[in-house]
Amino acid sequence: KTGLVTFFHIHHYGAVLQAYATARAVECLGSACEIFNYYVNQDNGLFRSSGGLSSAAANAHTALHYRAMHERYERFEDFAARNLKITERRYGSLRELESAPPCDVYLSGSDQIWNPKIFPDGRFDPVFFSRFTAGRKIAYAPSFGVPRIPDGMEDTLREYLSDFSHLSAREARGQAILREI
């Protein structure tokens, strides 16, 4: 059994299709594949609640185009429900994932799961390096999404990567980062 750690909640064609394609590729290789229902830093709500000027503008746009946007939202939800094998339990933290049922392999990838800039604290999210388990870890085409690792984060990345039996990266710059680390 393979446990896939990736983005899939985002209502973005690239994110959803990469999750689907990665899971299908794993299944074609003969392993059952289930995506960890890890939900972090992903807000698919049609309306924003932060209250700033940009939120008000986005909410006005949504109100004007509500029907089309709601239908798009529902299409993404339906696609995920029909095509993605997602854990029943929803995990919200590294600590919660420590109690997840074991897998034979933990697969990190693809997408920008190793991009520290997309997380609220600007740091790597250890979940996407499968730090919740001592099991076998493989990285398939994750992206760093940045041209270089931010200062002071190299040692953390080196530690996170040390547990992987196999590493790859989506783009040439990511491959260079892996070699440098």
Side-chain angles (χ1 to χ4, degrees), residues 87-106:
T87 61
E88 277 189 41
R89 180 170 176 195
R90 186 178 198 175
Y91 301 95
S93 69
L94 178 73
R95 185 168 233 28
E96 289 179 16
L97 276 157
E98 290 172 352
S99 65
C103 296
D104 298 304
V105 176
Y106 296 84

Side-chain angles (χ1 to χ4, degrees), residues 69-134:
M69 292 180 80
H70 181 71
E71 288 173 0
R72 180 180 188 273
Y73 179 94
E74 291 300 323
R75 283 194 306 272
F76 273 99
E77 291 292 309
D78 182 58
F79 180 86
R82 285 186 297 109
N83 296 288
L84 301 179
K85 293 177 184 157
I86 303 165
T87 61
E88 277 189 41
R89 180 170 176 195
R90 186 178 198 175
Y91 301 95
S93 69
L94 178 73
R95 185 168 233 28
E96 289 179 16
L97 276 157
E98 290 172 352
S99 65
C103 296
D104 298 304
V105 176
Y106 296 84
L107 181 62
S108 295
S110 54
D111 217 336
Q112 291 194 32
I113 60 170
W114 290 356
N115 180 349
K117 298 296 183 182
I118 64 174
F119 299 105
D121 63 0
R123 316 275 312 155
F124 295 114
D125 184 334
V127 167
F128 292 106
F129 293 87
S130 297
R131 297 296 290 184
F132 54 89
T133 181

